[in-house]
Amino acid sequence: MARNIGRFLVLIAAALIYSSALASSIFQPISDSHRSAALELFNPLGGSFSSVEKTYEELRTFEVLGIDKRSDISTAACQSVSEILGSSSSTLKDLFYALKVNGILQCGIKEDVFEGVASRLQSVVGGASALLDFYYSVGGLVLIKGQTSKDDLYLSDAEGVFRSIKALSQSDGRWRYNSNNPESSTFAAGLALEALAGIVSLSSSEIDQSLISTTKNDILKLFDSIEKYDDGAFYFDEKLVGAREHQGALSTTSSVVRGLTAFAAVTSGSLNLPSGKILGLAKFFLGIGIPGDAKDLFNQVDSLAFLESNTVSIPLILSLPATVLSLTKKDALKVKVNTVLGSNAPPLTVNLLQVLRSGSKDTSLIESQELKFDPEIAVYTLDAMPKSVDVGKYTFVFEMVLHDSDHKNLYATGGRIRIPIFVTGVIEVDSAEIAVLDSDLGSIETKKKIDLAGENTVSLSANHLQKLRLSFQLSTPLGHAFKPHQAILKLTHETKVEHMFVMGSSGKQFEIILDFLGQVEKFFYLSGRYNVQLAVGDAVMENSFLKAIGHVDLDLPAPPEKAPQPPAQPLDPNLIYGPKAEIAHIFRAPEKLPPKKLSLTFSGLTLLPFLGFLVGLLRLGVNLKNFPSSSVPAVFATLFHLGIAAVLSLYMLFWLKLDLFTTLKALSFLGAFLMFVGHRILSHLASSSSKLKSA
């Protein structure tokens, strides 16, 4: 049980730190953990994926993460791409993703194949009415333009197509999939913005700026419906009820980010989106951690790649390699600033504005300080913790200041960033003693000092008219009073019945007095030896401990008739699941057998009836003169005699090894067979005999 309490204290500390980390705004850029997850999740069966879409998702994820796996799948992927682009029956979706795969692998598709696909896509654009048809056909044309040497690939009526797609937009910034469907979708808005961006790039002339301005207003309206978490993450959620396939927050937000960044890249002027919302989108994708699904990982990584290079506002992520700092080890506060994919940030300064104690709102323990930057490792450092910072939980408030004024409109820093920090240290334990007090006078009968940093073997005795007192003091490295999360006194009877008591405190002093007279029922009137243990633990206490102090021999009165009984103790698992005692079997002694010669003589005598049968046949003059000469009766006669031989053989097998039920089962089949063939041969003999008599 002592081991269980020790584990319990460790779990408490870990849970407190972990829960605070979850509730805080700690975000980490893309790391090697994402690369390991990608290698595990994207594992095609037989070296190829089930669709060209999944192939693109793998290649794109590996491309963003810097994993070179092209050679492993390029042969199969390029073969699939060639087949899709060369087939006139390929769907628009397959053509779109085949072109995306080719953009990464460069499969060497011939120009005439591109021309055929482009001609087909242009005809689809001209007659399209559904958003997905526009999305795949326009997107395919944009990809062909980027993968071929044709600079004259334009839409003949780009502005008209733009208006056709724009007609599907709604007043709240969302879009419909087609004109016949009244339901609007946030996911569809991202697809529409991508398609519109493609039309702008495929237009031979400038699109009407009023259409561009209207679309920008649609984007602002769409962002009015954005949702927010408490940690500052922003996301979009799909509200479409009648959709054929529900899109979650991750895929919906990813669609909007792709559309937003694509449209911003091909249009001039600002979108007037708050940089905080762009940073909030990055926090949403990073706050997911490492997805366990390949599609989710692709959406996360692909969206972060677009945010990394977008023209609206590039998010900068402030992260801490460690949020638990030790005063004992004199840990330095280290801060890193990166883009969402882990690239180095532009020149900037990181300031520590405030250090707030947990529970305090505005009172800072320090003045604003600038962190030192080490360019070799790209880390900002505060070498020494402020002297006013003691062990405990704090909120550190940081601020990033860009050096170049032109970068303020290019990067999103997020203003003040609040991050919880745990400061740990060794807690000093003093003045620990245990005593037995007289119940009436309160005088000390027995008192012993204990060393809570070492080993103790205190032996005490008391009766129900006395009290047990345990006291000690806790202080922080700066000499302040310290109140841990757990301070528990445990008494364990020799019958394994346990009693736990929470210790109270006043300042540095912790004390508990057990009045045995008032605790006799709780102790179930059990006299005898009680082992005494003390457990003190906290998330910021580096020397949390569970110490055995000694034992106390307690003499309690005899229990009355209706006294409560101690609870049943759990059985030892070894008694239930451990090895059982070996079972020694006593077998019956074998019966005494007759002598071997006698057994052989008896077996020989059993053959005498068979010999007598043969002699009788010879005396009767048995012969084969009446054996049928014609073919069919001869076959039945032969089968009849073989059946008789089989029955005799079955009797012999029954005698040697077969059991009665097996023998009867086989005999039933042989009997039916003999009845059939015997009837046929006897009918033949009777017919022959009658013919002879009539002759």
Side-chain angles (χ1 to χ4, degrees):
M1 188 63 190
R3 186 180 301 172
N4 292 339
I5 290 188
R7 293 174 180 172
F8 181 64
L9 293 175
V10 173
L11 288 175
I12 288 176
L16 288 171
I17 295 176
Y18 182 68
S19 61
S20 296
L22 290 179
S24 64
S25 302
I26 303 177
F27 300 94
Q28 301 291 341
I30 292 296
S31 64
D32 290 336
S33 298
H34 290 81
R35 296 177 179 89
S36 300
L39 292 172
E40 181 178 351
L41 293 174
F42 290 101
N43 188 17
L45 297 175
S48 61
F49 288 92
S50 58
S51 67
V52 68
E53 179 184 3
K54 293 185 180 296
T55 303
Y56 167 70
E57 290 173 356
E58 180 206 21
L59 290 170
R60 172 60 175 169
T61 303
F62 286 165
E63 180 184 46
V64 174
L65 295 178
I67 302 173
D68 187 10
K69 294 280 288 184
R70 298 183 185 183
S71 58
D72 297 341
I73 62 172
S74 59
T75 302
C78 284
Q79 181 179 357
S80 177
V81 167
S82 299
E83 293 175 355
I84 292 173
L85 296 180
S87 174
S88 59
S89 60
S90 299
T91 64
L92 291 177
K93 182 178 180 180
D94 286 345
L95 289 173
F96 175 73
Y97 283 107
L99 290 169
K100 279 183 170 288
V101 172
N102 184 65
I104 298 176
L105 296 180
Q106 299 297 320
C107 295
I109 304 299
K110 296 180 179 180
E111 289 289 333
D112 59 337
V113 176
F114 281 123
E115 291 179 1
V117 175
S119 176
R120 179 184 171 186
L121 294 179
Q122 285 177 326
S123 63
V124 171
V125 172
S129 60
L131 177 60
L132 289 177
D133 291 341
F134 284 119
Y135 175 74
Y136 290 128
S137 57
V138 171
L141 290 172
V142 172
L143 292 170
I144 291 176
K145 185 176 181 180
Q147 297 173 22
T148 63
S149 58
K150 296 189 62 167
D151 297 330
D152 57 345
L153 182 58
Y154 298 109
L155 290 175
S156 58
D157 185 18
E159 188 168 307
V161 178
F162 195 105
R163 293 181 185 275
S164 298
I165 299 177
K166 187 66 181 65
L168 299 175
S169 65
Q170 300 293 289
S171 59
D172 57 358
R174 297 188 294 168
W175 297 65
R176 293 175 296 163
Y177 283 101
N178 56 65
S179 57
N180 297 325
N181 186 3
E183 293 284 350
S184 56
S185 166
T186 305
F187 183 86
L191 302 180
L193 291 175
E194 272 196 87
L196 293 177
I199 292 172
V200 173
S201 63
L202 293 173
S203 176
S204 58
S205 59
E206 186 176 359
I207 299 292
D208 187 355
Q209 288 301 308
S210 63
L211 293 175
I212 301 296
S213 299
T214 305
T215 305
K216 289 182 178 181
N217 289 331
D218 291 338
I219 294 176
L220 295 177
K221 293 176 182 177
L222 182 64
F223 269 78
D224 288 339
S225 64
I226 197 169
E227 300 186 44
K228 180 181 180 181
Y229 287 122
D230 293 337
D231 59 2
F234 286 88
Y235 68 98
F236 292 93
D237 201 4
E238 186 63 275
K239 298 180 175 64
L240 181 59
V241 178
R244 292 175 295 176
E245 180 180 357
H246 175 72
Q247 303 292 341
L250 177 57
S251 58
T252 302
T253 308
S254 180
S255 175
V256 173
V257 167
R258 293 190 190 99
L260 170 69
T261 54
F263 190 79
V266 298
T267 57
S268 60
S270 173
L271 293 179
N272 295 321
L273 283 176
S275 60
K277 290 188 176 181
I278 303 299
L279 180 61
L281 291 173
K283 289 181 178 180
F284 169 74
F285 291 113
L286 295 175
I288 294 172
I290 302 176
D293 178 74
K295 183 73 172 182
D296 291 342
L297 181 62
F298 162 72
N299 282 328
Q300 179 195 44
V301 172
D302 187 50
S303 301
L304 290 173
F306 281 110
L307 290 175
E308 174 96 351
S309 59
N310 80 91
T311 59
V312 180
S313 187
I314 300 175
L316 295 179
I317 304 300
L318 185 146
S319 61
L320 274 67
T323 57
V324 179
L325 306 177
S326 173
L327 286 180
T328 306
K329 300 177 183 178
K330 297 182 180 180
D331 290 340
L333 174 66
K334 296 181 180 180
V335 175
K336 300 185 70 174
V337 180
N338 304 93
T339 61
V340 291
L341 295 183
S343 302
N344 291 332
L348 54 80
T349 299
V350 176
N351 296 323
L352 177 60
L353 300 180
Q354 292 178 308
V355 175
L356 306 175
R357 186 181 295 274
S358 178
S360 175
K361 295 183 178 180
D362 301 320
T363 305
S364 178
L365 301 178
I366 65 165
E367 299 292 335
S368 177
Q369 298 185 29
E370 179 180 337
L371 275 63
K372 296 180 180 179
F373 179 66
D374 187 345
E376 293 184 0
I377 57 176
V379 172
Y380 297 84
T381 307
L382 183 65
D383 293 331
M385 293 294 292
K387 295 182 179 179
S388 57
V389 175
D390 204 348
V391 296
K393 179 184 175 183
Y394 297 87
T395 298
F396 282 43
V397 183
F398 298 94
E399 181 185 44
M400 293 182 285
V401 180
L402 294 164
H403 293 173
D404 191 340
S405 59
D406 294 336
H407 287 167
K408 292 182 180 180
N409 296 326
L410 181 60
Y411 292 95
T413 59
R416 295 193 171 195
I417 304 168
R418 303 167 68 92
I419 297 180
I421 302 291
F422 280 87
V423 180
T424 66
V426 175
I427 302 302
E428 187 175 352
V429 186
D430 292 322
S431 305
E433 63 179 25
I434 187 170
V436 175
L437 308 179
D438 183 79
S439 180
D440 295 332
L441 304 176
S443 58
I444 299 175
E445 180 174 312
T446 306
K447 181 173 72 172
K448 294 187 178 182
K449 298 286 186 180
I450 53 178
D451 181 12
L452 294 179
E455 300 296 330
N456 298 276
T457 56
V458 175
S459 178
L460 300 172
S461 61
N463 57 45
H464 66 287
L465 299 177
Q466 294 177 316
K467 300 177 182 179
L468 180 69
R469 184 183 72 187
L470 175 66
S471 62
F472 56 90
Q473 292 183 355
L474 297 178
S475 56
T476 66
L478 297 185
H480 301 143
F482 179 73
K483 185 175 181 179
H485 287 105
Q486 300 291 335
I488 299 173
L489 173 66
K490 188 179 79 165
L491 275 67
T492 306
H493 190 254
E494 53 195 359
T495 60
K496 307 301 181 182
V497 178
E498 299 177 345
H499 307 280
M500 295 188 184
F501 305 91
V502 178
M503 299 193 63
S505 64
S506 177
K508 297 181 181 181
Q509 185 74 16
F510 283 77
E511 183 179 74
I512 187 172
I513 298 178
L514 295 181
D515 185 358
F516 292 125
L517 183 61
Q519 300 284 344
V520 288
E521 287 194 1
K522 184 173 183 179
F523 280 85
F524 305 107
Y525 296 90
L526 292 176
S527 299
R529 172 175 290 194
Y530 285 82
N531 292 324
V532 182
Q533 291 177 305
L534 177 64
V536 178
D538 193 277
V540 299
M541 183 177 178
E542 295 179 3
N543 56 330
S544 298
F545 60 85
L546 171 64
K547 288 292 182 181
I549 297 176
H551 69 272
V552 55
D553 291 316
L554 191 56
D555 183 16
L556 298 179
E561 293 184 1
K562 297 183 179 181
Q565 297 297 317
Q569 296 302 305
L571 294 176
D572 186 356
N574 291 328
L575 297 177
I576 303 176
Y577 305 106
K580 305 299 181 183
E582 183 180 356
I583 300 175
H585 296 279
I586 301 177
F587 297 95
R588 185 178 63 180
E591 297 180 357
K592 188 176 181 180
L593 299 178
K596 184 177 181 180
K597 292 182 179 180
L598 179 61
S599 298
L600 294 175
T601 302
F602 180 78
S603 298
L605 292 175
T606 58
L607 297 176
L608 290 178
F610 180 69
L611 295 176
F613 172 71
L614 295 178
V615 172
L617 292 178
L618 294 175
R619 297 286 293 177
L620 292 174
V622 175
N623 55 62
L624 300 176
K625 293 181 179 179
N626 291 329
F627 197 86
S629 58
S630 58
S631 60
V632 176
V635 171
F636 282 110
T638 303
L639 293 176
F640 178 75
H641 287 85
L642 290 176
I644 295 295
V647 171
L648 294 176
S649 301
L650 181 63
Y651 286 160
M652 182 179 293
L653 291 174
F654 171 67
W655 180 266
L656 295 175
K657 64 177 182 179
L658 293 182
D659 58 81
L660 179 61
F661 293 101
T662 304
T663 304
L664 291 176
K665 185 186 298 184
L667 188 61
S668 63
F669 292 106
L670 286 175
F673 174 75
L674 282 173
M675 183 180 295
F676 173 72
V677 296
H679 178 267
R680 297 299 299 270
I681 190 59
L682 289 176
S683 299
H684 172 72
L685 292 175
S687 175
S688 300
S689 176
S690 62
K691 289 180 180 180
L692 289 174
K693 289 180 181 181
S694 62

